[in-house]
Amino acid sequence: MEKQIRETAKELLAGKKVDVIIGYEQGTLPLQATPCFIDNVDDADKLVWNAFCSQNLAKYVHDVIHRHKESQVRVKPEERTKKIVGVVARGCTTRSLVIHLQERQYSRDEIVIIGVPCTGYVSKKKAAIRVDGAEILGSAVSGNDIVLTTAGGDTTAPLQELLSDSCLTCRFNNPIIADVTVGEPAPPMNVDAEYHDVVKFENLPDEERWAYFTKEMAKCMRCFACRNTCPSCYCKVCFAEQSQPNWVGVGVDDTDVQMFQLMRIFHMAGRCVDCGACVEVCPMGVDLRKFLKKLDKDGFELFQSRAGADMEKPPILSSFAMEDRQEFIYEPEEHA
Amino acid sequence: MEKRLIAKDALAGIIKKLSEKMVVYAPVKDEDNICFRVLEKGQEPLVNYANTKNAPKNFFFPQTETMMRYMRTERGMELKSAEAEDVPEALLFGARPCDVRSFVLLDNVFDQDEYQDPYYIDKRKKTTIVSLACVTPPYSTCFCTSVGGHPMSSEGADVLLTDLGGNYLAEFLTPKGEALLSQIGDLAAADEGAAAAKEELVKKSESEIKSKVAGSEIKPWLDENFEHPFWDTIHKSCLACGTCTYLCPTCHCFDISDQVKGADGKRIRAWDSCMYWLFTIETSGHNPRTSQKQRWRQRLLHKFRYFVDNFGAIACVGCGRGVLYWPVNIDIRKDVNDISKL
């Protein structure tokens, strides 16, 4: 599949169908593939596809196109150019691209999607737990197993056990939209278990849920890696950085951290594709997914909509139907 | 200098006991992270760990700190307090030599002839630092020897502990260290053999730091190449998050703002990050660094050029945190080495 991705990239670049291809290249550490930006045929062989490609590259598609548009502001309209971005996209990445397209962030002809079937990526956090926090000096996937090398020797684990939670129950591991598709469609993941964790969490008493939330938020150091890696978080100025009004204080007071995360999470209603990128980049290991997945479940149960899953279906927050559910709307006077 | 021996299994207990009478900052296991935290009274610290996820800089330079409080009254603004908030005598236990060296570097900024930062200095003065030498390197990404450090350096420490197998050799290096010794009480004196055993480890530990970075070689290139195509290549995958700067022991940029509620206000300073788009933005809206390329260049130049110009040292201690925890695996070792080949 890696070879096919490289060949496709070369064709697209040689045929001037794209200006740049965003994909993954080998990182400098084990378990790491890192985003790369290929703009000439010779570099296309850097592209890799493996179980360590964890980032959702739609984030970079948005950034590259918008930076280009900003650079065109002072160019005469008739002389403006488009920047065509190719992207290596698995299912969740294409869902994010769909969201961008539905939210009119760029047009379909500005992107070329190299669709890649996906069998999931390795969670670095799970791998670290597997070796009791020892430094992982090497990692290799062989068949259905992964071998983690530490100073204390090799640990072999079934790959399945180290996959990100988002991947384990992924419903859309094949591209939703694509211009070129490589490989054979990937087999389905364990979709029946998709909301098991959320249901368990929903059934806890209020105090326990709040305790879990505050415990997780106490780990957060406000580095914004979660927000910045999220393709759906593309606001030019985030509410967290606005000063008039100042919605959230800077720094790490509990209330400010909780407020920031709560507001970000709610901005993800109908917009989170559960790619798991925010969880994967978090240096402190905050369990953001628990809360995001709840919104995803609500979106489906209340509005029969899954974010970015259908190009033709309008996003839930941008559409209205008379029969829309509304009993959850809070009327303060009724609760007084 | 007093040299004593501490039995290996007694160390955690000694620190636990100290935590009952003074504030102790020490590494603890916090779910899946090992972090520096304030020990609860009677809590045992970790003594066997590679390194913490967070750097200990926040004990002297907190992520959020109140600088003064004020109140709006009929007569105008009145100061409620303008001094650093009261901080206790404290013990920082278990910082690795690289992290301890970061304080020596930060002193250049916060405690110098032209500027004295009372908030930092107060905490720094009141804190005794017990450092744990790296007899074996904590991580393969450690590169302290490339940036002026040493895995068993005592630079900046009040007490240096060296793992000799069955015992720790405890060297009480400063008056603050000796005062701590009197708090701990009786400890067996170390003989010549222990000192000799330590000396042997010094060379061995140095040779075990395998990761090499051309930290001191790139300064002449950096001096000449503010504009160079290289700068277009390294920032592209950068998320512009604050992970690298927040986990870094030497990053020290901050931002000052006021928080006002009703008539009460406080002026706080909070960690800033050159990775953020708000960094150096001016009130007018103008920003001298509008792109991530410029901000990325700023971080590298600050560490390997400006700090060297200003204070004669590289502002990197080679702890490897940035390398290990960088969300998208931008590797500063690679970038520095790539520059050295240009």
Side-chain angles (χ1 to χ4, degrees), chain B residues 13-166:
Chain B
I14 290 173
I15 304 302
K16 174 182 155 183
K17 227 167 147 188
L18 287 170
S19 78
E20 280 159 11
K21 41 186 177 179
M22 64 202 294
V23 175
V24 177
Y25 314 126
V28 293
K29 187 123 201 268
D30 191 349
E31 294 195 16
D32 302 319
N33 295 323
I34 293 173
C35 287
F36 276 107
R37 295 273 186 259
V38 180
L39 285 191
E40 311 277 330
K41 272 191 197 319
Q43 186 185 0
E44 233 176 59
L46 284 180
V47 292
N48 198 6
Y49 63 95
N51 203 358
T52 52
K53 193 160 261 184
N54 61 341
K57 68 178 173 186
N58 61 311
F59 298 119
F60 302 145
F61 172 48
Q63 186 163 357
T64 324
E65 179 166 37
T66 303
M67 303 177 80
M68 64 175 198
R69 290 171 193 277
Y70 52 85
M71 200 165 54
R72 195 170 53 220
T73 67
E74 285 166 4
R75 297 177 299 282
M77 287 295 180
E78 267 180 26
L79 274 183
K80 276 161 77 180
S81 67
E83 283 94 44
E85 307 217 321
D86 197 29
V87 286
E89 301 274 336
L91 170 69
L92 170 59
F93 167 77
R96 294 292 180 184
C98 53
D99 288 342
V100 177
R101 193 161 165 267
S102 76
F103 303 135
V104 179
L105 295 174
L106 290 177
D107 288 347
N108 286 306
V109 179
F110 292 110
D111 184 4
Q112 45 146 299
D113 295 340
E114 277 180 58
Y115 175 72
Q116 291 272 307
D117 186 284
Y119 310 95
Y120 173 92
I121 293 172
D122 190 34
K123 297 183 194 64
R124 180 93 165 85
K125 275 198 178 136
K126 287 179 176 164
T127 306
T128 305
I129 300 173
V130 177
S131 179
L132 200 52
C134 298
V135 173
T136 50
Y139 301 110
S140 65
T141 51
C142 292
F143 59 97
C144 59
T145 53
S146 297
V147 284
H150 187 284
M152 289 178 62
S153 165
S154 62
E155 191 180 1
D158 297 302
V159 181
L160 180 70
L161 299 176
T162 307
D163 186 347
L164 297 179

Side-chain angles (χ1 to χ4, degrees), chain A residues 125 129 201 204 206-221 252 254-255 257-258 261-262 265 282 284-288 290-291, chain B residues 29-33 35 37:
Chain A
K125 190 177 161 189
I129 292 170
F201 190 66
L204 294 175
D206 289 0
E207 310 79 62
E208 279 180 47
R209 279 186 283 134
W210 181 245
Y212 187 78
F213 176 74
T214 52
K215 172 182 79 81
E216 287 302 308
M217 294 309 126
K219 298 178 196 169
C220 173
M221 60 171 186
V252 283
D254 286 348
T255 49
V257 175
Q258 291 164 6
Q261 291 287 7
L262 268 180
I265 289 166
C282 178
M284 306 313 284
V286 180
D287 178 12
L288 294 165
K290 187 81 91 265
F291 313 109
Chain B
K29 187 123 201 268
D30 191 349
E31 294 195 16
D32 302 319
N33 295 323
C35 287
R37 295 273 186 259

Side-chain angles (χ1 to χ4, degrees), chain A residues 163-200:
Chain A
L163 292 185
S164 158
D165 286 339
S166 298
C167 304
L168 287 174
T169 61
C170 175
R171 198 174 281 276
F172 303 97
N173 53 336
N174 289 300
I176 304 280
I177 49 170
D179 295 297
V180 190
T181 309
V182 302
E184 296 300 314
M189 307 300 271
N190 186 17
V191 294
D192 295 339
E194 185 174 14
Y195 297 125
H196 284 186
D197 282 354
V198 179
V199 171
K200 225 195 277 174

